[in-house]
Amino acid sequence: MIRRRALGLLAPPILAAPARAAESALDMLLGRYASTPADGVTRVAYGRWKANATDMAALDAWIAEAATRRPSAMPRGEAFAFWANLYNALTLKVVLERYPVRSIKEIRSTGVGLDPRQFLGPWRTRLVTIEGTRMSLDDIEHGTMRPTFRDPRVHDAVNCASIGCPNLPPRAWRAASLEADLDAAARAFVNHPRGAALLPGGGLRVSSIYRWFREDFGGDDAGVIAHLRRYAAPPLAEALRNVTRIAEDAYDWALNDATPT
């Protein structure tokens, strides 16, 4: 786990030019291969991307450049954007390298010894070295972002390449617009049926994210429901007024593939 100081919460800002260049490069790739159809779930054209050697190399180059940067020299917003962008780029790379797959959970972690979680997905494999620390996707999300930023919108910022996950953003996260963009991402997920939905009998079904990481949303049903109300559009907010408990949760691990096999 990277210490809180290393995340740039107390450090001076770095020059903005490298960040802008990196954001633009990632924007180009996301704009080329990610799209959101009418059902509101962003999908990635993995097959088309994998067939383009230039753009495969461009993603590798983006990750390699990111690995040279120093989050310890970034202010909070820039550090948040850095880690979220890195997580999403690494997830894309993991899937693209193994594509075609039906789910990211088909990809096992490697190099982790007897860790039983290696069979659950690729999240334990150490993929990148940041400031001398070799890191996995779990290290970035659960060892760094969640305990440091203590913001439930971390779950709206990082994408696990699954239908059930909050959408992959259409462009790189940026410190300058981070708060507005995170709020927009939270609203989009909460107001989509895979985030929250009222059942015919009046019960509330939520994304399993709100159960798996309940501590990030207040620790109980009331905290999760308060989070939902905060971002709910008027119809859902009204429906949630008298809801006091969660009836069930669900999550779709199918790959967010634009052309599923």
Side-chain angles (χ1 to χ4, degrees):
M1 173 179 169
I2 290 184
R3 294 174 299 174
R4 188 168 295 206
R5 181 184 179 89
L7 280 158
L9 302 187
L10 302 176
I14 62 169
L15 295 176
R20 287 198 299 269
E23 289 160 355
S24 296
L26 191 55
D27 286 349
M28 179 190 69
L29 293 170
L30 293 173
R32 190 167 291 166
Y33 296 107
S35 60
T36 307
D39 68 358
V41 180
T42 297
R43 291 174 169 82
V44 179
Y46 292 106
R48 187 160 54 86
W49 193 338
K50 186 165 185 174
N52 188 317
T54 298
D55 286 346
M56 288 290 288
L59 180 62
D60 289 342
W62 188 93
I63 293 168
E65 189 281 329
T68 69
R69 298 178 63 200
R70 295 181 56 230
S72 63
M74 299 176 188
R76 181 184 180 90
E78 191 168 347
F80 189 113
F82 169 83
W83 289 114
N85 287 332
L86 180 61
Y87 185 100
N88 291 340
L90 288 169
T91 299
L92 288 165
K93 176 178 171 64
V94 165
V95 172
L96 286 164
E97 287 180 341
R98 290 290 303 275
Y99 188 82
V101 292
R102 293 170 297 178
S103 170
I104 191 172
K105 294 191 77 175
E106 294 180 6
I107 306 171
R108 293 184 179 180
S109 296
T110 59
V112 293
L114 299 177
D115 185 346
R117 295 184 65 184
Q118 67 180 295
F119 302 107
L120 301 179
W123 297 285
R124 309 294 276 182
T125 303
R126 292 180 175 86
L127 299 167
V128 67
T129 300
I130 304 296
E131 295 193 281
T133 300
R134 192 72 178 161
M135 303 187 74
S136 67
L137 290 168
D138 270 0
D139 291 329
I140 294 172
E141 181 180 7
H142 307 305
T144 301
M145 295 189 74
R146 291 176 59 217
T148 300
F149 299 114
R150 298 190 180 277
D151 187 328
R153 296 172 301 173
V154 164
H155 301 288
D156 299 298
V158 297
N159 181 270
C160 64
S162 301
I163 294 294
C165 193
N167 282 338
L168 181 70
R171 63 178 197 144
W173 296 103
R174 287 163 163 78
S177 59
L178 185 64
E179 285 300 312
D181 290 343
L182 287 173
D183 279 347
R187 284 193 298 271
F189 190 60
V190 165
N191 290 288
H192 192 279
R194 70 196 196 283
L198 273 296
L199 300 171
L204 175 64
R205 181 182 64 220
V206 301
S207 167
S208 298
I209 289 172
Y210 299 120
R211 176 175 62 84
W212 296 332
F213 307 111
R214 181 171 294 187
E215 64 270 28
D216 296 348
F217 299 92
D220 55 18
D221 282 9
V224 172
I225 293 168
H227 174 84
L228 299 178
R229 287 175 180 152
R230 177 177 180 180
Y231 294 104
L236 178 59
E238 179 63 25
L240 290 171
R241 284 183 61 185
N242 298 317
V243 175
T244 59
R245 61 179 296 273
I246 295 168
E248 62 183 62
D249 62 89
Y251 194 87
D252 187 348
W253 280 107
L255 189 70
N256 60 341
D257 192 354
T259 54
T261 58

